[in-house]
Amino acid sequence: MKAETVEQVLRMMDYEDMACPEHVELSARVEVENEGLASSGERVFRFQLYDTTGSARAYGLRRDWDGHGLVNGQYRDVSLHTAVNPRGEQVLVAHPLYGTRPCERDALELLPVHRAPCPEDLGRLVRLAEGLRVEAFRGFLCTVFGDPAFTLSFVTGRASGDCHHREPGGLLAHSLEVAEGVMAATDNMSLDLYSREAGVLLALFHDVGKCVTPDAHRIPEKRHERLIDYYLQEPMATLRHRDRDAHDALWRVIDAYRSGDDYGAPMAALVRGLDQCSAHADVAERALRARRNGYWHRLCGGRPVWLSPRDPERPPGRLGRA
C-alpha cells in the first residue's frame, strides 16, 4: 500500500486502515527528535515524518536504521505500520525501505510544516511558486528549498530583531507579502515574463541575508541586502546551466537591489518600495494595537511617522480603533 502524503497516512490511522498486516510506503522528510529506550530495552529513534501537508510522529529501532547516516530533514522512503505501546496508544513504526524506486517529489512538497509558526504561509509559498510561468524559475525555488537547514531558517526566522515582523515566522510572512505585492502590481503591465518573475523572486529573497546559518559568523559582510547572492550562489549556478536568460534576468535585479542603481532594473525599485510598505504596515498595526494616542510615532526608533489613530477602512474592534 502506498501513501502519497503524510496527510494521507494520518487519515489512514484515523480510519484504522493501517491495522492490516500490509505495510504502508511513504516518501517524506525524516527528522530525528531524540533517542530513547523501548519497553523491551532496545534503543529507538523518535522521528517526525513531514511534508507540506502535515507531520506525523513515528518510532524506529536503532538497529534497523544503523548505517543509514540519518541527517535531519533527509528525504527518505520508509515503510510504516502501527503498533500499540505499553500505554495502549497506537503509534507509527518506521523502517527504512529498500529495493523500490524512490517517489519523485519536489522540495515545495516537503516543507517543514511542523516547524512553521504559521503553516498557512507555506500554502502561500506553494501558490506563489505555482503562479510562476518560467519553468526554470520554478526549478530555482525547488533548488533553494531543497536544503532543509536553509528552509528551516527561512520559515522560522524573524525579519528583524525589534522592528517589523519580529516574531518567529516573520521573515517568511514579510517576504511573501512583498513577493505577492510585486505579482499584483505588475499583473496588468506589459513587462516581459523573465523580468516580472525575476522581480517576484527578488522580492521573496530580498531579506535572505537575515537567515541564521551555522557559518554566519564567518561572513565578513553584515548588510543583509548584499548577502543575497551569497546565500543563493548554488541555486544561481544551477539556474545558469538550466536557463541562461532566466539567470541573467534574476542576476540583473539582484545586482540592482544590492547596489541601489536600479535605473536599468526598475523591478528592484518596486521591491524596495514594497519592502518599506510591508515593514511600515506591520509596525503601524502594532502601534494601533497598543492604542497609542496622537498622530506622530517613532516606529522602530526612527524618524517620526504620521499615523491616523482612526482608520475607517479597518473593521471595528481591530488594531486599537477607537
Side-chain angles (χ1 to χ4, degrees), residues 84-148:
V84 178
N85 66 17
R87 294 189 295 274
E89 301 166 333
Q90 188 183 49
V91 297
L92 276 175
V93 180
H95 304 271
L97 196 58
Y98 303 95
T100 60
R101 185 176 180 178
C103 176
E104 295 295 330
R105 304 187 69 185
D106 67 48
L108 291 168
E109 297 178 275
L110 299 164
L111 300 173
V113 66
H114 64 302
R115 295 288 202 97
C118 184
E120 293 81 7
D121 284 345
L122 298 185
R124 291 170 63 194
L125 177 59
V126 171
R127 288 191 294 274
L128 184 78
E130 290 173 345
L132 297 176
R133 291 162 55 194
V134 176
E135 184 66 35
F137 283 152
R138 290 199 297 270
F140 175 80
L141 286 181
C142 289
T143 304
V144 172
F145 293 112
D147 180 345

Side-chain angles (χ1 to χ4, degrees), residues 69-90:
L70 279 173
V71 177
N72 278 346
Q74 191 174 34
Y75 180 52
R76 296 300 304 254
D77 288 340
V78 296
S79 174
L80 302 169
H81 68 87
T82 56
V84 178
N85 66 17
R87 294 189 295 274
E89 301 166 333
Q90 188 183 49

Side-chain angles (χ1 to χ4, degrees), residues 262-313:
D262 45 38
Y263 177 78
M267 293 297 287
L270 177 60
V271 170
R272 190 173 292 108
L274 288 171
D275 173 31
Q276 293 170 0
C277 287
S278 172
H280 183 101
D282 183 68
V283 292
E285 184 170 317
R286 285 191 284 107
L288 292 171
R289 277 187 186 148
R291 295 183 179 273
R292 294 180 184 172
N293 296 318
Y295 286 85
W296 291 94
H297 304 277
R298 291 185 183 275
L299 306 179
C300 306
R303 291 177 297 177
V305 175
W306 187 92
L307 293 175
S308 170
R310 294 177 60 88
D311 187 343
E313 296 298 320

